[in-house]
Amino acid sequence: MTQAAAAITVRTTCPYCGVGCGILATPQADGSVAIAGDPGHPANFGRLCSKGTALGETLSLTDRLLRPRIEGREAHWDEALDLVAGRFREAIQAFGPDSVAIYGSGQLLTEDYYVANKLMKGFVGSANIDTNSRLCMASSVAGHKRAFGSDTVPGNYEDLEAADLVVLVGSNLAWCHPVLHQRLLAAKARRPQMRIMLIDPRRTVSAELTDLHLPIQPDGDIALFVGLLRHLAAAGAATDFASKYVVGTDGAVAAAAAWDIARVTEATGLAPTDLETFYRWFAETERVVTVYSQGVNQSATGTDKVNAIINCHLLTGRIGRPGMGPFSVTGQPNAMGGREVGGLANMLAAHMDFSPETIERVGRFWKAERMAETPGLGAVDLFAAMAAGRIKAVWIMGTNPVVSMPDADAVRDALKACPFVVVSDMTERTDSAQLAHVLLPAAPWGEKDGTVTNSERRISRQRAFLAPAGQAKPDWWIITQVARRMGFGAAFPYETPAEIFAEHARLSGFENEGRRDFDISGLLGENYDLLEPVQWPVREKSVERLFADGGFYTPDGKARMLPIEPPPVLNPAPGRMVLNTGRVRDHWHTMTRTGKTARLSAHYAEPFVEIHPEDARRLNIRKASLVRLARGDSETVVRALLSERQRKGSVFAPMHWTGQFASKGRIDALVAAKVDPVSAQPALKMSEVTVEPWRTSLYGFFVALERPRLDTDYWAWAPAPRGTRGELAWRAEPADWSAWIGERFHLDAKTKMSSVGDPRSGRRSFAGIRHGQLVFALFVSPDPVPVAREWIVGQLSVEKVDGLKILAGRPGADMPDSGPIVCACHAVGRNVIREAIRRGCPDVDAVGAATKAGTNCGACRTEIASLIRSEAILT
Ligand SMILES: Nc1nc2c(c(=O)[nH]1)N[C@H]1C(S)=C(S)[C@@H](COP(=O)(O)OP(=O)(O)OC[C@H]3O[C@@H](n4cnc5c(=O)[nH]c(N)nc54)[C@H](O)[C@@H]3O)O[C@H]1N2
Ligand SMILES: Nc1nc2c(c(=O)[nH]1)N[C@H]1C(S)=C(S)[C@@H](COP(=O)(O)OP(=O)(O)OC[C@H]3O[C@@H](n4cnc5c(=O)[nH]c(N)nc54)[C@H](O)[C@@H]3O)O[C@H]1N2
Ligand code: SF4
Ligand SMILES: [Mo]
């Protein structure tokens, strides 16, 4: 048998967003893995976005944590596990169960999550287990529970395709749920009469190809939807559904009475005509899906936002039928699975919360030794308790709080102060792992087995297709081992994830009798290894449409409409701007995986802030200069990206950059830890910061085969297809350039150095070439460095370079610079696409035919559309 014939394709699920695309992974003879979309998976039918497509490039062992470490030294598993169990036990004995905590993640598999939750809530006896889902889904969970009595997402992806109006609220679907977005656009192409609209303070790429964009004032959503409710009631849109299956209708409508168009205009900053259009469309369209995400959840009034949206669907009865419903899309691959097991501190297990009856029931099922009796601390309170010395031991799994939590500098200090910090991760190169006493090597995607649940409640298998690297172990195994060493062996007998899944499925059906939405007991007896993607509930094998005839999970079976009061308009203090934060298309969170691929790093190669040109002018901030954002003692320094898409008075910065990739890019250091009072979810999108030019005397850009030592006042680096690239800045010019370069770049005697300088402009270039191969190039300038970056990056892969062209920083007239990469799949840059448009390509397909851009995964198609639009404006 040849090696090629031995290649076995494994069906698994993407480890990134909540769309939950099916993937076919085929390990190759050369050690690489071929990745393709699974045509048989009902989430994606074979499609993948840029991140999914590039998964094969993230699997290298560079930076992987391969062995347990204790205080920096390598250790055996036995020693590390004994230590973790021992220190947790000691803390519990001395200070009680609430002195220990687990901080987990929607990126754990359901089996990992189930075991962690059971250990804390059934055996340690504390509910101090919370997760990054607090930062992500908590307001949706709370809103669902208030309205439906349960945390139920009633919709399916087909509902978006079948709808006549899709309202995206605070969701950048084009970048954050790309395959779902493409399904939506494909549906609109088939049925052009279908309307799509976006409600977002910024004009994101998700605004392209929509029928209406409402550039709402930050946190104006409640006023908008309360005004919609008033309009719907006045237009007679209330239905039999509402009178039969909903209570609280009158109160909710009465509370909306004062919110006429004039008042909503004031609170949202939107044009009255746009408001009227939206209200009319919503009122006249039966099939409406409202898709919402972090612009809704990550707010101090996030839960009210959720209920203001759900109210409109309940009044009109637009729920529980095809093509309609409120639809909270989940962010992480297993955000939904985490909610199922009870990973949040205020949930117990299997969608049960802390009532005496459920505590007794779950305790009996688990044969628990010590049940938690009350909810534990949510993430923000958990780290505050740690800072106050009340948490003596914490175990962080699959998340990077020093980067992703609000008030991140305080979180860092809390971890520094905590007597015992354990971090389970696949890499030690995270800002949180740097502060761990014990590092445990977790087997990541590709090396572990389990299940995840996507945004439409579909459970899919993640399957291993690689052997664990080094001594990495799956999270469920690690937790099980610690539980046994803490003396709970009888309740943690698991040898496989299948056993854990079976127990989880049994608990979901245990004394359920239709009273709880989450029930997958119908899967018991299925072959775990062969499990096909399936939506819950799965009761005795039948899958139903939820809420078709009411059937809500409240005591009386009726849904609740709530009276909602819009908050006062968000007005930053004088001299401050609103800091909005979120994601870019090609990076995933704190970049531990996407930061390894040059393709995904080329879309945005350094941390940045988007600012409206008028604000920039007012603040004396020039294009591509560096900007200082600050709040109290915390600051970041990032690149200024001037953009008319940005709302005036607000700036937008991505959450992704960490201390591993940039000198001062951790944006969450600036985000205040203000939380929603109902859900305890932090308002990550509405901080107040000062924005000013960051004074520097010199900017730099480098490419190098080996990453240089980075210690300038500003730096940011990214991988290149070969070697690395980066941006630098100095407050004072180094006195001796050749010494400076020699101390930082990895040069040997054979490297020939050359340099040129232009005294008038103050620009200088340096290059090191060895046997015709570029080893490094450095360009410095008193202004932002004006060189052809993508071309220079590409020169690292060239066999024989032209030293003069390198020093000039330009390829010459014959070879244009492709510009920042827009199409990650085919590495097509912005300049190439612009050129095609100028030559007459009228639409995205024509650009694709001319340049290949947008012809593979399609995630960049909206961006190409936006380039076409901006070129049309310019010419
Ligand atoms: N490429 C990529 N995709 C991802 C992720 C990633 O890291 N990278 N992460 C995944 C995860 S975990 C999540 S939670 C999702 C998040 O997915 P999204 O929620 O779609 O993404 P965000 O960029 O966080 O925020 C969405 C939008 O909310 C807007 N917004 C801010 N304030 C307001 C407001 O007051 N009202 C309204 N209506 N909108 C507002 C922002 O301008 C932003 O464009 O993405 C998932 N998908
Ligand atoms: N300002 C601002 N802050 C935000 C947000 C925002 O929009 N704005 N969004 C928030 C949201 S919605 C989210 S979901 C969070 C995300 O923020 P985080 O959860 O902190 O980000 P990740 O980078 O996904 O962290 C996952 C970690 O788990 C590791 N890992 C990967 N696979 C495994 C595994 O199998 N096992 C283990 N043990 N570890 C693994 C990765 O290497 C990485 O270090 O950020 C939140 N923070
Ligand atoms: S849309 Fe992209 S990131 Fe999300 S699951 Fe699918 S391939 Fe993965
Ligand atoms: Mo998230």
Side-chain angles (χ1 to χ4, degrees):
M1 194 163 56
T2 65
Q3 276 183 311
I8 293 175
T9 296
V10 173
R11 286 177 72 200
T12 183
T13 312
C14 180
Y16 295 126
C17 85
V19 178
C21 296
I23 282 186
L24 302 177
T26 317
Q28 308 289 298
D30 65 0
S32 66
V33 179
I35 299 289
D38 179 354
H41 197 288
N44 57 320
F45 300 106
R47 291 168 203 241
L48 293 178
C49 76
S50 49
K51 290 182 298 303
T53 305
L55 269 167
E57 294 159 32
T58 65
L59 299 171
S60 79
L61 295 188
T62 316
D63 291 341
R64 274 287 299 276
L65 176 65
L66 296 174
R67 282 184 176 58
R69 285 178 172 274
I70 298 173
E71 305 281 2
R73 69 172 165 88
E74 286 189 355
H76 288 293
W77 267 115
D78 273 334
E79 187 191 359
L81 294 166
D82 282 342
L83 181 65
V84 173
R87 290 293 296 264
F88 266 65
R89 235 184 4 230
E90 285 164 24
I92 296 164
Q93 268 158 16
F95 302 100
D98 288 332
S99 68
V100 301
I102 289 180
Y103 183 57
S105 164
Q107 292 169 76
L108 295 172
L109 304 183
T110 299
E111 294 73 6
D112 305 326
Y113 232 140
Y114 178 87
V115 183
N117 190 57
K118 179 177 175 183
L119 171 61
M120 281 299 293
K121 291 179 184 153
F123 292 82
V124 169
S126 166
N128 279 350
I129 170 168
D130 210 47
T131 108
N132 62 1
S133 281
R134 180 72 55 193
L135 317 175
C136 183
M137 303 313 306
S139 292
S140 275
V141 173
H144 290 150
K145 291 183 68 173
R146 290 204 304 194
F148 309 142
S150 59
D151 174 21
T152 316
V153 177
N156 306 328
Y157 294 160
E158 292 97 57
D159 293 329
L160 271 72
E161 296 166 322
D164 294 316
L165 173 63
V166 173
V167 186
L168 305 176
V169 194
S171 155
N172 191 1
L173 206 71
W175 279 8
C176 294
H177 297 90
V179 166
L180 185 56
H181 186 246
Q182 285 169 47
R183 284 181 62 168
L184 177 63
L185 292 189
K188 186 170 165 73
R190 287 194 298 270
R191 287 191 300 120
Q193 71 277 20
M194 165 190 204
R195 288 179 177 133
I196 305 176
M197 53 175 289
L198 173 72
I199 300 167
D200 192 311
R202 303 188 294 150
R203 188 179 168 85
T204 60
V205 286
S206 300
E208 301 300 331
L209 310 175
T210 59
D211 300 276
L212 183 65
H213 168 225
L214 299 182
I216 196 164
Q217 165 115 344
D219 268 353
D221 309 82
I222 296 181
L224 180 68
F225 281 90
V226 166
L228 173 62
L229 187 72
R230 175 185 183 275
H231 176 88
L232 292 170
T239 53
D240 281 354
F241 184 95
S243 39
K244 276 213 299 241
Y245 302 128
V246 182
V247 294
T249 314
D250 293 345
V253 170
W259 289 87
D260 59 10
I261 293 281
R263 223 170 142 194
V264 177
T265 302
E266 211 177 296
T268 59
L270 297 171
T273 48
D274 282 350
L275 285 176
E276 277 157 9
T277 305
F278 169 42
Y279 288 180
R280 193 177 69 240
W281 286 358
F282 199 108
E284 74 190 17
T285 313
E286 176 74 355
R287 290 171 177 253
V288 185
V289 175
T290 308
V291 174
Y292 53 95
S293 188
Q294 300 312 343
V296 169
N297 292 339
Q298 289 173 343
S299 155
T301 52
T303 311
D304 278 357
K305 283 196 194 186
V306 170
N307 288 108
I309 292 169
I310 294 176
N311 273 352
C312 296
H313 282 271
L314 288 175
L315 185 78
T316 51
R318 293 178 191 152
I319 189 166
R321 285 179 290 149
M324 56 188 86
F327 202 140
S328 142
V329 277
T330 50
Q332 301 179 90
N334 202 28
M336 192 71 97
R339 287 146 72 176
E340 290 157 16
V341 302
L344 290 164
N346 54 315
M347 296 299 293
L348 181 52
H351 277 207
M352 286 176 269
D353 45 21
F354 287 87
S355 69
E357 185 197 344
T358 53
I359 294 171
E360 188 280 328
R361 182 187 302 129
V362 175
R364 190 155 38 83
F365 179 87
W366 278 342
K367 302 194 177 58
E369 292 194 5
R370 189 173 189 175
M371 279 299 283
E373 302 281 328
T374 52
L377 298 171
V380 170
D381 288 343
L382 184 66
F383 284 95
M386 203 180 297
R390 295 206 302 279
I391 302 290
K392 311 291 182 189
V394 64
W395 187 355
I396 295 167
M397 302 172 188
T399 179
N400 192 359
V402 171
V403 182
S404 57
M405 281 284 293
D407 213 354
D409 285 347
V411 167
R412 178 196 59 201
D413 295 343
L415 280 173
K416 277 188 190 162
C418 184
F420 190 62
V421 177
V422 184
V423 170
S424 300
D425 205 299
M426 57 185 274
T427 169
E428 59 189 309
R429 290 191 62 92
T430 80
D431 294 355
S432 303
Q434 308 294 310
L435 305 176
H437 300 101
V438 179
L439 274 172
L440 301 175
W445 184 77
E447 298 174 14
K448 68 194 286 191
D449 267 297
T451 53
V452 290
T453 311
N454 73 3
S455 289
E456 58 166 357
R457 311 184 315 280
R458 192 177 297 283
I459 298 171
S460 298
R461 284 279 276 109
Q462 265 196 20
R463 296 183 176 90
F465 51 85
L466 295 170
Q471 295 182 8
K473 293 285 187 187
D475 289 286
W476 65 263
W477 183 90
I478 304 174
I479 304 158
T480 297
Q481 292 297 317
V482 169
R484 289 181 190 172
R485 281 158 216 252
M486 289 176 76
F488 310 129
F492 293 84
Y494 319 114
E495 297 296 334
T496 63
E499 295 162 38
I500 304 169
F501 185 79
E503 184 179 313
H504 168 57
R506 268 205 319 281
L507 176 57
S508 76
F510 185 62
E511 299 174 4
N512 184 325
E513 283 122 34
R515 279 175 309 193
R516 304 194 302 268
D517 62 339
F518 180 67
D519 185 348
I520 54 167
S521 53
L523 292 176
L524 284 164
E526 294 262 314
N527 183 326
Y528 184 73
D529 285 330
L530 301 180
L531 193 69
E532 287 293 319
V534 58
Q535 274 181 301
W536 63 256
V538 196
R539 300 183 180 116
E540 293 150 18
K541 296 236 137 216
S542 71
V543 182
E544 324 146 28
R545 191 168 255 281
L546 291 154
F547 307 153
D549 306 299
F552 295 94
Y553 294 92
T554 48
D556 58 9
K558 293 184 180 186
R560 301 283 183 274
M561 280 177 64
L562 274 75
I564 305 285
E565 182 61 33
V569 173
L570 192 72
N571 272 324
R576 307 272 175 88
M577 293 180 82
V578 175
L579 171 66
N580 178 7
T581 62
R583 291 156 172 80
V584 300
R585 189 191 70 197
D586 288 352
H587 274 308
W588 178 261
H589 295 164
T590 71
M591 292 169 46
T592 58
R593 285 174 294 184
T594 51
K596 284 172 107 170
T597 109
R599 255 206 295 178
L600 296 183
S601 300
H603 189 226
Y604 290 102
E606 68 177 326
F608 64 88
V609 62
E610 264 182 3
I611 180 162
H612 192 278
E614 280 181 27
D615 284 329
R617 209 170 305 131
R618 180 172 56 80
L619 296 165
N620 209 9
I621 289 169
R622 284 175 310 143
K623 184 177 162 189
S625 64
L626 289 167
V627 175
R628 176 178 184 269
L629 308 175
R631 179 185 64 102
D633 293 335
S634 299
E635 61 166 6
T636 63
V637 178
V638 295
R639 189 74 53 181
L641 234 165
L642 273 49
S643 166
E644 307 234 329
R645 295 171 166 276
Q646 181 52 50
R647 194 188 160 76
K648 283 179 225 163
S650 294
V651 293
F652 174 85
M655 61 163 292
H656 306 293
W657 273 268
T658 70
Q660 310 297 315
F661 288 95
S663 50
K664 276 188 182 146
R666 276 168 54 245
I667 208 73
D668 273 295
L670 307 179
V671 176
K674 192 163 85 179
V675 301
D676 178 287
V678 186
S679 68
Q681 175 158 357
L684 296 166
K685 303 249 182 283
M686 298 95 185
S687 287
E688 290 185 26
V689 294
T690 55
V691 182
E692 61 188 339
W694 185 74
R695 304 272 168 222
T696 176
S697 59
L698 205 61
Y699 291 89
F701 170 72
F702 73 85
V703 297
L705 283 183
E706 269 184 74
R707 175 147 50 97
R709 181 153 67 82
L710 294 166
D711 57 1
T712 46
D713 298 310
Y714 170 80
W715 57 262
W717 74 276
R722 180 154 187 219
T724 59
R725 62 188 293 174
E727 303 285 341
L728 308 170
W730 296 259
R731 290 219 133 145
E733 180 166 350
D736 176 349
W737 276 110
S738 69
W740 191 91
I741 290 169
E743 282 159 18
R744 285 162 187 82
F745 287 88
H746 305 268
L747 309 175
D748 61 17
K750 293 196 185 116
T751 304
K752 237 181 102 241
M753 289 272 292
S754 51
S755 76
V756 292
D758 171 11
R760 277 228 329 261
S761 65
R763 292 183 191 151
R764 303 185 68 167
S765 333
F766 306 85
I769 296 174
R770 184 173 51 209
H771 306 312
Q773 155 87 61
L774 184 63
V775 177
F776 88 95
L778 171 69
F779 304 87
V780 302
S781 159
D783 303 310
V785 179
V787 295
R789 284 175 170 66
E790 298 310 316
W791 175 78
I792 295 167
V793 166
Q795 293 297 298
L796 288 171
S797 312
V798 169
E799 228 169 83
K800 267 215 161 348
V801 295
D802 178 338
L804 287 179
K805 282 185 180 166
I806 301 270
L807 287 174
R810 307 242 148 245
D814 50 330
M815 277 195 314
D817 179 42
S818 61
I821 299 298
V822 172
C823 170
C825 297
H826 292 301
V828 188
R830 192 160 65 202
N831 296 345
V832 176
I833 293 169
R834 281 207 171 125
E835 188 51 33
I837 299 166
R838 280 188 205 126
R839 289 212 184 123
C841 290
D843 55 31
V844 179
D845 288 333
V847 169
T851 66
K852 287 179 97 176
T855 56
N856 181 43
C857 83
C860 62
R861 288 174 67 86
T862 30
E863 220 170 327
I864 298 171
S866 115
L867 285 172
I868 293 173
R869 218 174 45 87
S870 59
E871 289 298 318
I873 294 166
L874 290 174
T875 50

